[in-house]
Every structure is written in structure tokens, then in C-alpha cells.
Amino acid sequence: MKQHDIVIIGGGPAGLAAAVAAWDAGVRDVLILERDDSLGGILNQCIHNGFGLHTFKEELTGPEYADRFVRQVEERGIPYKLRTIVADVSPERDVLYVNSEEGAVSVRAGAVILAMGCRERPRGALGLPGFRPAGVYTAGTAQRLMNIEGCRVGKEVVILGSGDIGLIMARRMTLEGATVKLVAELMPYSGGLKRNIVQCLDDYGIPLRLSHTVTRIHGKERVEAVTIAAVDEARRPIPGTEETYTCDTLLLSCGLLPENELSKKAGVRLSRVTGGPEVDDSLETSVAGVFACGNVLHVHDLVDFVSEEAARAGRQAAAYVGGTSARQGRTVTIRAENGVRYTVPQRLNMTDEPEPVTLRFRVGDVYRDRSLVVRAGERELRRVKKRILTPGEMGELTLPAAVLAGLEAGAEIRVGLED
Ligand SMILES: Cc1cc2nc3c(=O)[nH]c(=O)nc-3n(C[C@H](O)[C@H](O)[C@H](O)COP(=O)(O)OP(=O)(O)OC[C@H]3O[C@@H](n4cnc5c(N)ncnc54)[C@H](O)[C@@H]3O)c2cc1C
């Protein structure tokens, strides 16, 4: 069986940043495996700008942002295989990949970095009534068809779900001459970033109907119309509120699901809230030597944070294979409570000389003028005032080294909102 120090599954922004960081930390035997025919992941179809403001202090398109990292991989001579799908990963870090040149190949990895991204929630998972006509797409599929395949997807469009991809596609389809009649959102708040609501809907006069859902798709061969209705607090359609819009296309932007089939095969423990692996502050999963980063770990709003997180995973995987990992087997768990849905990481490894840790989190509702409070027992470790917190915007909070130094092994940190 072939051996590699670090095998990275997925050549999207997470896999690329992890590879560069692992290389820069001194590991020369890194292999990236990517099933698509180019590196860059989903960014290749995101041709709008707005990427890289944090990382490069510039506004780049998705392909430009990806290209910055592809160049870094090329400059270092980090090997990668395209059109290569990873079919299996064992808890012992044996990785089985398949491609047309080599067939099925098993490699043993010193460390594995999971960077497989996420996929969109499909129609089947939404239970929408009606026939199965042509013209119903996930927003990402429509984005790929338009931006990569060069196809026109539809002329009159209704969008269900106000996630960022749906908002961006509302603008994209308008620019291509389609009429976007409205965006309907089940929840009383948008699932997307505020800036995307302003730049993609408000600027084009596209209405956003909160607390509404699709109750019927009309048409047998092709979508002919869509009926939407208001929903009550239990998200049940309210009879008598139905409105029907003629259209030929329905786009679905109803959430992203971390792509974790391989993580399950590796025996990694998954979080029921994020759908991704539970990790410590090294981004190591519950299986030793298996790390995770990017959208496979938890769904990010901005790729800049994916790159930052993935670089950490790359450095920590390098430390793992180099035997310089600072872990001493003393862990502290982190519990999300009082409006905070989850944190990543979910546990910390305590060392004698702790480093500051950045917690990323999401809340479950819209909250105004609250404090985000971190406690260990009765002790308050950190308190930060927040003017507004929404489920669509991932938050972050840094725990300074001095705060961590006082924590006992086995302790539990709680992160929640207070008035
Ligand atoms: C449709 C869509 C549109 C988006 N638009 C924006 C946007 O406008 N702005 C923004 O900031 N963010 C956007 N995002 C989010 C942003 O693209 C992600 O934050 C970022 O791409 C995540 O990087 P990643 O490497 O984790 O995942 P991805 O970019 O999804 O890369 C994962 C890679 O892993 C590969 N892979 C998966 N499984 C295997 C396997 N078994 N074997 C081999 N390879 C595998 C995939 O082919 C893919 O190339 C979008 C996301 C999606 C899904």
C-alpha cells in the first residue's frame, strides 16, 4: 500500500488552504484528491465579486479567489489528482480513491484532512406537493448551468428560501434578462447575509416574503405556476393566504448539508446540529489524525473564514504527523446554550501554555442588544455586547490565552446569550 504523510480529500478552498499551510509547516508529502476536473471547488461557479475582502483586502470573484490558492499550490509543487473520487476512509486512515488512470488505489495516510464541502438540500427533502415537472432546480445547480455550462435556466422565476445562493441567483437571473417574481422564505428572517439582501434583492426591486412557503407546484411537463402561502408560528400554511404566480422556474435555496458520508465511514463522531464532525481546537475529529475544515465541518457564509480555518487544520495535521502536537490529553468541553445553536470547536485541548482560541457560532433566532457570555461554572470568562445576531450570519469570539490558562481539565465551558 502506498503511503503519504497527509492526504487531503477535496480540492476546494478548504483543501487548498490546508495543503499550503501543511507544506509551509514543513510537510513535503501532501496529496490533494479532487473528484472534479479542476481545483477550486464550488468557487469556480461563483462568478460574482465579493470574495477575499478579509483575506486579500480586495474584492475578487470566486474563480479569482480560488486561483490565488491554486497558484500557491502550484508554486510549492504540491501534488494533486483531479477526476479522482475518494470512495472510502477507514479509522486507520486508509484512503481508497478511484480514477480512470490508476483504477482503485489504497493509500495509508499519516493524517487525513476532510475538506469535501457541502451540498444543497434537494426538493425531495422539502416535501413540496405537486408533480415533478422540469424547471425545479436547486439554486446552486442553476448557478452551475448558467455560469459554467452557459445555459439559460428560465425566464420567469420564483425562489424558495433566502439563503445566500438563492439571493445571488435572484440577481444573476435578473441580469440575464429573467423576471424574478419574488423570494419566499419560510422563516420570519432571511437565511442570508444582510449585504446580499440589499445588493441582490433591494437593488433590483425583488420582493422578499418572509414567513411564506410554496404550497403547490403547478404543471406536469414544465413548471407553469407556483402557489405560495403565509405560514403560522408552527410554520404551517395558513388557509386563505394563497397567491399563485405564473412562472417557468422554481429555484430552491433551502439550506446546505455538510457532505459527510466519508466522515461516517472513518468513524468520525458528527454533531447533530452542524451535521459536520465534532472537533477540538486543533480541528481534529474524534478519530486520531483525522482533521476537518471548511463546509464539511460547518456551513460558512464567507470563504475567507474557510481559508483561515483550513490553514489551521493544515498546520495541526502537520504537527500531528511531525509528532509536535501540543496535546496533553486534558480536555474541556464547550456547550452552546440560551439561543446559541452551536460552537466550533466543541472541545478544547488544554496545554500548559494555551494559545488564544477563536470560537465560531450561530444563533437560532434574531436577537437584538444581547450579551454573548462565556462561563465555566459560575465564573464568567468573557462577555461581549452584540447589537444584533441573526441565524444567517456566523459569529466569532476569541478566548484569550489568559482566560484558558485557568481552566481545569474536564471542565465545561458554556456559551450563551444573556439580556
Ligand atoms: C452553490 C454555492 C454557492 C456559493 N456562493 C458563495 C458566495 O457567493 N460567496 C461566498 O463567500 N461563499 C459562497 N459559497 C460558500 C463558499 O463557496 C464556501 O464557503 C467554500 O467554497 C467552501 O469551501 P470548501 O472547500 O469547504 O467546499 P467546496 O468549495 O464545496 O469544495 C469541496 C471540494 O471537495 C470535492 N469533493 C467532495 N467529495 C469528494 C470526494 N469523495 N472525493 C474527491 N473530492 C471530493 C468537491 O468536488 C469540491 O471540489 C457558496 C457555496 C455553494 C455550495
Side-chain angles (χ1 to χ4, degrees), residues 24 88 125 129 207 212 242 265 283:
D24 290 349
D88 198 13
H212 278 72
E242 295 86 359
K265 289 186 173 184
L283 302 176

Side-chain angles (χ1 to χ4, degrees), residues 176-187:
E176 286 296 325
T179 303
V180 178
K181 299 208 162 170
L182 81 155
V183 175
E185 166 59 58
L186 180 71
M187 305 302 287

Side-chain angles (χ1 to χ4, degrees), residues 16 20 32 69-78 80:
L16 296 174
V20 169
I32 305 171
F69 282 92
V70 173
R71 280 167 193 262
Q72 293 180 47
V73 166
E74 305 273 10
E75 280 160 14
R76 287 162 180 76
I78 300 172
Y80 56 86

Side-chain angles (χ1 to χ4, degrees), residues 9-16 33-36 38-43 45-46 48-52 84-87 115-120 139-141 143 164-165 168 193 195-196 256 259 262 293-297 299-304 306:
I9 309 174
L16 296 174
L33 300 172
E34 169 56 54
R35 67 184 171 193
D36 215 336
S38 59
L39 295 174
I42 206 79
L43 291 189
Q45 67 183 58
C46 301
H48 54 280
N49 59 3
F51 296 85
T84 299
I85 188 156
V86 175
M116 294 89 74
C118 61
R119 60 169 172 260
E120 297 174 282
T141 301
Q143 189 179 49
D164 287 314
I165 309 166
I168 280 159
L193 295 173
R195 76 172 198 205
N196 282 335
L256 298 169
E259 185 124 10
L262 291 175
C293 53
N295 276 0
V296 82
L297 176 57
V299 174
H300 294 66
D301 321 322
L302 295 177
V303 71
D304 304 69
V306 168

